[in-house]
Amino acid sequence: MSTATSNPLLQPWDTPFGLPPFESIRAEHFVPAFEAARAAHLAELDAIAAQRETPSFENTIAALDRSGRLYWRIEGVFHNLAASDTSPALQQAERELAPQLAAHQNAIYMHRGLFERIAALHARRDELGLTPEQRRLLERFHFDFVRAGALLTDQAQQRYAQVTERLAELTTRFGQNVLADEATFRLELRSEAELAGLPEFVRAAARQAAADRGIADAHVITLSRSLIVPFLTFSERRDLREQAWRAWTSRGEHEGAHDNRPVAREILALRSEQARAHGYACYADYALADTMAGTRDAVGRLLDQVWTRAVGRVEQEREALRSLQLSRGESHTIEAWDWRWYAEKVRALRYELDEAEIKPYFPLERMVDAVFDCARQLFGLEFLLRPELRAYHPDVKVYEVRGRDGAHVGIFLHDNFARASKRSGAWMSNYRQQSRNVAGGGAISPIVVNNNNFAKGAAGAPTLLSFDDARTLFHEFGHGLHGLLSSVTYERLSGTNVLRDFVELPSQLFEHWLTEPAVLKKHARHVATGEPIPDALVARLHAARKFNQGYETVRYTASALVDMAVHSMESAEGPDIVAAERAVLERIALPPGVGMNHRLPHFQHLFSSSSYAAGYYVYLWAEVLDADGFDAFAEAGDPFDPAVAQRLQQFIYSAGDSLEPRSAYRAFRGREATVDPMLRKKGLVGEEA
């Protein structure tokens, strides 16, 4: 039996909505499937390049956009499963395939004949009578090819290919090393003394984590954010908080097979070489050339503006923690494993907030209903649970998404729980991207997945979210909407295929609806009684929104400054990442006891791929846009104002990369964004701690 007829990845998928046949796919299918799909894709590209007809938009650019559908289909399944539900066999396939897939990317973008046709069209782009979307596609493809080395000499291309293939191996190893450290750590709590201070919702999640790992008569704290942060916030055991914090912050920094320090060092050296091949002084300059910010100076101005205010704010917050500490008769230095614990005590006193009081109003199922309801009110979407459709794991729920007219929009997979086979963090991805560029006509609808890492409730018990967890749910759903609402012709311009510092706008903007009183009153209902969240509690939550924002902003901005610093180094040799990180933190005078969001040895944004390398600043850049953008609804007097929502859908959520980002934002907002709403939102101007 041939591979094509026995391998489900290569067969036509006659599943409902073209979902991958998850139950039939095994790790050993990927290597032969990719081999066949790569060959088929290259044959398509060769055929485009070999045409005798003069290059035209249709026979070259549109054809390129249509090419490789089998390859991209397999890649979508592979990378999503590797991130969401991996296994030793799948990790082995990842390691084997990483350089092969990078080599295929090189074969695409260094295809001389294909690039000659693209370059000829690009040179005549003003004469071709293209629509704005067609011109955007031509310009983006030309930029993609140049950025990937199409203009390099043959010898330089050979070395460039070696660099990118080695980078693919290293970034794969980096992510697997972090997962290994996360999967092996467990802090077992076996006595009431070790559980001191932990509310029942933390204990329940820790009991479930123990059960998931086959550990009897214990509670287990893992390095999942939904467990480690509550533990650091509530545990009375300072010694155990320190133990957990050190494990969390030292991921990837241990001698042995999973040590990420040499891996990251080599990644930085190769990225520096990559940038120099294009004539840039450093990798940051190369990365920022394809962003809204454009330059290190532009990024630096924003980060410095926020850093100065946030450091001042964090010192005010520290004084509040010290006052509480003194009132308790304690005098030890407030360390990084203490800050959250003291901050929670101050928050509880100042705003009369208790996480144990809040969480019962945020059960996962009701918060999922809330995001769906907001999408319905804003954009007319309906999410229909389809339990008969199988996903890759029993925890994953599958929804069909329909529009106002009842027509099919796409498929949405919701994967909300932490597990050992899943990487940490939260993210959105695609199994299939929206497009109308189909040979013979027709359209392709998107298949979108949201991944979260919430601590699962005990069997039969609801999963309760913290307010931060609920914000994460809304954030990732905003990304999901960006993929689902995409309405463009060409796949290259579809959905989240936008500039990196624009992609976080739809997600961060959607977070605002969580804090709307009408949304809270409708959906934040007590898990036991069904009673809506009291007005007084809503008022206290709103009053506390800016609490501890100096701490949160310093942690984020420190990570962004370290990212920009290590990717701005012009040396051909990669730095000792721990020493480089320490030097940056000393230079910027990171306030003691605060820490950073991500240290370099486990900074997956930077080193598990190149997506956010020299780009962690993008969350802050997008926050300027989202704070300013949501003000449009405030000015309209209605968080669901139909006219504003229509512009939001047309120019932000549906436009993909068919519009230049600044033009898209101006079309939505009527003007450029200003930074003041973001500073007010964080409480970094005009208010005291």
Side-chain angles (χ1 to χ4, degrees):
M1 186 179 293
S2 71
T3 299
T5 57
S6 63
N7 191 323
L9 293 168
L10 296 173
Q11 297 173 30
W13 293 350
D14 56 1
T15 51
F17 308 107
L19 277 165
F22 291 113
E23 68 280 2
S24 303
I25 297 170
R26 297 190 301 276
E28 60 265 30
H29 290 141
F30 284 104
V31 171
F34 270 119
E35 183 178 358
R38 290 199 307 271
H41 191 191
L42 289 177
E44 291 179 76
L45 301 182
D46 288 343
I48 295 171
Q51 295 175 95
R52 293 185 177 181
E53 293 86 351
T54 301
S56 69
F57 178 87
E58 183 57 38
N59 71 22
T60 301
I61 302 303
L64 173 60
D65 186 70
R66 284 193 299 271
S67 70
R69 291 275 161 84
L70 175 63
Y71 176 84
W72 301 122
R73 184 181 79 169
I74 296 169
E75 189 190 55
V77 177
F78 179 63
H79 288 307
N80 277 297
L81 290 183
S84 302
D85 195 27
T86 193
S87 66
L90 197 54
Q91 289 187 320
Q92 175 57 41
E94 265 195 297
R95 292 189 292 272
E96 182 177 348
L97 283 166
Q100 297 178 26
L101 302 188
H104 185 63
Q105 291 292 107
N106 289 328
I108 296 170
Y109 291 109
M110 296 180 185
H111 195 298
R112 292 289 188 196
L114 183 56
F115 182 64
E116 285 174 4
R117 295 178 72 88
I118 295 169
L121 289 167
H122 187 260
R124 298 190 299 112
R125 61 192 180 279
D126 292 335
E127 308 162 14
L128 299 177
L130 302 177
T131 67
E133 185 180 0
Q134 289 172 335
R135 179 171 178 133
R136 179 74 175 167
L137 181 66
L138 170 57
E139 291 174 343
R140 294 304 292 161
F141 268 140
H142 184 266
F143 187 84
D144 291 344
F145 274 71
V146 171
R147 191 171 178 78
L151 293 177
L152 300 178
T153 65
D154 288 345
Q155 185 176 357
Q157 281 191 349
Q158 289 176 12
R159 174 55 189 162
Y160 197 84
Q162 292 172 349
V163 167
T164 56
E165 288 161 33
R166 179 60 177 161
L167 280 169
E169 293 181 74
L170 292 166
T171 54
T172 297
R173 188 190 306 173
F174 188 96
Q176 290 189 357
N177 286 347
V178 176
L179 180 61
D181 276 3
E182 291 173 345
T184 54
F185 175 82
R186 57 191 64 175
L187 177 62
E188 296 183 18
L189 309 176
R190 294 188 175 275
S191 68
E192 186 58 36
E194 292 174 332
L195 292 164
L198 299 183
E200 175 54 31
F201 68 83
V202 180
R203 297 182 182 211
R207 283 195 300 270
Q208 186 60 40
D212 290 344
R213 288 155 180 79
I215 300 172
D217 303 320
H219 297 71
V220 167
I221 302 301
T222 72
L223 297 183
S224 166
R225 187 176 180 85
S226 287
L227 265 177
I228 191 75
V229 170
F231 182 77
L232 293 172
T233 302
F234 295 106
S235 174
E236 299 282 350
R237 288 288 298 270
R238 189 167 187 252
D239 59 330
L240 296 181
R241 292 203 310 267
E242 180 179 359
Q243 183 180 339
W245 179 87
R246 291 193 182 281
W248 193 34
T249 58
S250 66
R251 289 168 292 160
E253 197 182 0
H254 305 292
E255 296 286 348
H258 301 131
D259 189 349
N260 267 337
R261 290 169 292 186
V263 179
R265 184 172 196 163
E266 187 177 353
I267 288 172
L268 289 169
L270 291 173
R271 285 177 177 167
S272 180
E273 181 178 350
Q274 190 179 15
R276 291 196 307 277
H278 288 282
Y280 293 98
C282 63
Y283 186 83
D285 289 345
Y286 166 73
L288 290 168
D290 193 28
T291 62
M292 293 179 73
T295 66
R296 282 184 282 163
D297 284 346
V299 174
R301 285 193 297 272
L302 177 62
L303 292 178
D304 290 346
Q305 184 176 9
V306 171
W307 176 257
T308 301
R309 289 178 167 87
V311 167
R313 175 81 173 196
V314 89
E315 293 310 322
Q316 296 175 32
E317 293 167 358
R318 187 191 309 279
E319 288 307 311
L321 305 193
R322 282 179 177 150
S323 295
L324 175 71
Q325 188 184 35
L326 292 173
S327 74
R328 296 170 57 90
E330 298 164 354
S331 58
H332 59 75
T333 300
I334 297 175
E335 302 285 0
W337 50 89
D338 298 320
W339 191 289
R340 284 181 171 87
W341 190 84
Y342 280 112
E344 177 61 20
K345 298 290 184 288
V346 172
R347 187 178 79 119
L349 287 170
R350 185 176 293 180
Y351 302 103
E352 299 180 3
L353 287 175
D354 178 353
E355 196 72 15
E357 177 190 10
I358 296 168
K359 288 193 77 161
Y361 290 100
F362 293 91
L364 174 61
E365 288 192 4
R366 286 197 181 276
M367 289 300 99
V368 171
D369 288 343
V371 296
F372 289 169
D373 186 43
C374 290
R376 180 188 60 78
Q377 292 191 66
L378 286 165
F379 308 124
L381 298 180
E382 297 291 342
F383 288 75
L384 308 175
L385 182 63
R386 299 293 298 267
E388 77 280 10
L389 300 181
R390 294 184 61 179
Y392 51 86
H393 190 280
D395 284 343
V396 183
K397 292 187 175 182
V398 182
Y399 298 86
E400 182 190 359
V401 186
R402 296 180 184 172
R404 283 192 175 89
D405 57 0
H408 177 79
V409 170
I411 293 293
F412 178 64
L413 308 180
H414 222 181
D415 185 352
N416 283 316
F417 299 118
R419 52 181 173 268
S421 62
K422 186 180 188 181
R423 73 172 173 86
S424 60
W427 67 97
M428 166 268 184
S429 188
N430 299 282
Y431 280 89
R432 187 175 67 208
Q433 299 188 79
Q434 178 270 332
S435 171
R436 292 191 288 272
N437 184 18
V438 180
I444 298 172
S445 60
I447 299 176
V448 168
V449 59
N450 268 182
N451 278 275
N452 293 297
N453 265 286
F454 303 136
K456 194 175 186 179
T463 294
L464 304 181
L465 304 184
S466 69
F467 200 61
D468 281 344
D469 285 339
R471 184 178 290 110
T472 297
L473 184 81
F474 272 70
H475 177 99
E476 296 307 330
F477 190 73
H479 281 308
L481 288 175
H482 199 185
L484 288 166
L485 286 169
S486 178
S487 181
V488 300
T489 304
Y490 303 104
E491 187 170 322
R492 170 61 184 82
L493 304 178
S494 178
T496 55
N497 291 328
V498 296
L499 302 193
R500 179 57 60 189
D501 45 10
F502 192 76
V503 77
E504 295 298 334
L505 169 59
S507 55
Q508 292 180 191
L509 184 58
F510 200 75
E511 293 178 29
H512 288 264
W513 277 275
L514 170 63
T515 57
E516 279 300 304
V519 174
L520 289 171
K521 292 295 289 183
K522 183 175 182 179
H523 295 287
R525 291 177 173 269
H526 197 280
V527 66
T529 68
E531 289 296 311
I533 189 169
D535 290 338
L537 181 53
V538 172
R540 299 202 304 273
L541 282 171
H542 272 266
R545 277 189 302 176
K546 297 170 186 174
F547 175 72
N548 216 34
Q549 277 299 300
Y551 170 83
E552 297 293 351
T553 305
V554 162
R555 287 174 56 80
Y556 163 79
T557 311
S559 294
L561 288 165
V562 167
D563 164 35
M564 196 57 59
V566 297
H567 282 107
S568 296
M569 293 180 177
E570 299 182 10
S571 169
E573 187 174 321
D576 175 330
I577 63 166
V578 174
E581 176 185 278
R582 186 186 307 116
V584 175
L585 298 182
E586 288 175 357
R587 175 176 59 80
I588 65 177
L590 176 70
V594 175
M596 13 178 352
N597 274 3
H598 308 282
R599 295 193 53 242
L600 290 177
H602 57 256
F603 206 159
Q604 296 203 72
H605 287 76
L606 310 190
F607 297 120
S608 288
S609 76
S610 62
S611 295
Y612 287 84
Y616 192 60
Y617 77 91
V618 302
Y619 294 94
L620 187 61
W621 187 275
E623 199 165 357
V624 172
L625 300 177
D626 83 64
D628 184 85
F630 192 74
D631 274 0
F633 287 94
E635 291 160 11
D638 179 0
F640 297 101
D641 181 82
V644 180
Q646 191 278 327
R647 294 199 309 274
L648 180 63
Q649 178 174 347
Q650 179 180 354
F651 298 114
I652 304 299
Y653 283 95
S654 295
D657 199 33
S658 65
L659 299 173
E660 186 276 326
R662 289 184 186 276
S663 299
Y665 189 83
R666 284 195 301 269
F668 160 60
R669 193 68 174 95
R671 57 167 175 75
E672 297 279 359
T674 64
V675 71
D676 291 342
M678 180 273 288
L679 295 173
R680 290 197 303 271
K681 172 186 168 185
K682 287 183 171 293
L684 299 180
V685 291
E687 295 183 34
E688 298 300 319

